[in-house]
Amino acid sequence: AQSVTQPDIHITVSEGASLELRCNYSYGATPYLFWYVQSPGQGLQLLLKYFSGDTLVQGIKGFEAEFKRSQSSFNLRKPSVHWSDAAEYFCAVGSNTGNQFYFGTGTSLTVIP
Amino acid sequence: DSGVTQTPKHLITATGQRVTLRCSPRSGDLSVYWYQQSLDQGLQFLIQYYNGEERAKGNILERFSAQQFPDLHSELNLSSLELGDSALYFCASSNGGGNTIYFGEGSWLTVV
């Protein structure tokens, strides 16, 4: 069955430190992978996506993610976190038919000065 | 701004009542998805429509129903509301084929 696991419920980092948010997926075919960010009271905004090609994808706000098929992972990274990055981050996997997108339970990021 | 419009933004209603949430997808998008987000359940997929027809169904209760109209806007109908239905309901849209889905800002439903 298709699923997405975000093992870290909550992460706290200092401003300026590097960040890595983990995402593992289970999917029977070639996955379409996404990272979304949700600020309090807001909708989900797309950070980046992977469909095919280069396994390292760049997104908005300085984020990047790397697709590792052998590990079924799609971890999100940022070299230097800003206070405005504090939010909830969701990893998602979708099919090439566009039917259903499976979301992880999210990782809440706190940034301390 | 994602281009997906949801109304109303906030809604307070009593148990047992019925409400309708409305979604206008991005221009050109044929697929509409509905999600429920609550503190204890996370982001739950409810249902998807594609060009007016139901395409996929997730954890949608029988008390809930949805439809997509010829102009592609969609409505989510929630009836016999319970306290546990209080949540943020998101609509998202895509042009299908596995492309990115874009979310609206959600409709906050509070059942009292």
Side-chain angles (χ1 to χ4, degrees):
Chain A
Q2 297 89 336
S3 67
V4 177
T5 301
Q6 293 180 248
D8 303 306
I9 296 173
H10 186 249
I11 284 182
T12 299
V13 299
S14 298
E15 191 168 16
S18 63
L19 172 71
E20 182 169 26
L21 302 183
R22 296 183 291 166
C23 172
N24 292 97
Y25 66 90
S26 173
Y27 196 74
T30 300
Y32 286 17
L33 295 161
F34 307 82
W35 275 99
Y36 287 84
V37 60
Q38 183 182 26
S39 298
Q42 302 294 315
L44 279 73
Q45 180 185 21
L46 178 70
L47 280 177
L48 48 78
K49 59 188 177 185
Y50 171 78
F51 286 175
S52 64
D54 191 348
T55 56
L56 183 64
V57 293
Q58 303 297 321
I60 63 171
K61 304 184 181 185
F63 285 92
E64 66 178 26
E66 185 171 13
F67 169 58
K68 293 185 177 180
R69 185 186 299 275
S70 62
Q71 298 177 19
S72 297
S73 69
F74 189 57
N75 293 350
L76 182 71
R77 301 194 293 251
K78 187 169 185 178
S80 177
V81 171
H82 188 262
W83 63 266
S84 61
D85 293 325
E88 188 88 15
Y89 291 80
F90 291 92
C91 181
V93 62
S95 71
N96 59 3
T97 63
N99 295 343
Q100 297 200 32
F101 281 71
Y102 297 89
F103 282 83
T105 51
T107 297
S108 177
L109 175 65
T110 297
V111 180
I112 55 176
Chain B
D1 182 4
S2 67
V4 179
T5 303
Q6 290 188 247
T7 57
K9 292 193 185 311
H10 300 274
L11 189 58
I12 301 175
T13 190
T15 54
Q17 295 298 304
R18 172 190 170 95
V19 299
T20 297
L21 309 181
R22 181 187 170 97
C23 170
S24 294
R26 293 188 323 152
S27 177
D29 283 357
L30 300 178
S31 271
V32 169
Y33 307 77
W34 285 98
Y35 287 85
Q36 178 194 57
Q37 186 179 38
S38 60
L39 286 176
D40 56 345
Q41 295 288 330
L43 195 62
Q44 298 283 318
F45 168 70
L46 296 178
I47 198 164
Q48 179 205 359
Y49 280 82
Y50 179 83
N51 202 21
E53 296 196 1
E54 182 182 306
R55 177 65 67 90
K57 184 176 283 191
N59 301 319
I60 188 167
L61 300 173
E62 286 192 9
R63 300 184 285 108
F64 297 0
S65 64
Q67 54 184 328
Q68 186 180 27
F69 295 87
D71 67 353
L72 302 178
H73 90 272
S74 178
E75 293 181 354
L76 179 67
N77 300 296
L78 315 174
S79 62
S80 302
L81 285 167
E82 303 174 358
L83 295 178
D85 297 327
S86 296
L88 183 56
Y89 291 84
F90 284 112
C91 173
S93 75
S94 80
N95 59 14
N99 284 322
T100 306
I101 59 173
Y102 294 89
F103 283 80
E105 295 196 351
S107 293
W108 281 97
L109 173 65
T110 301
V111 182
V112 297

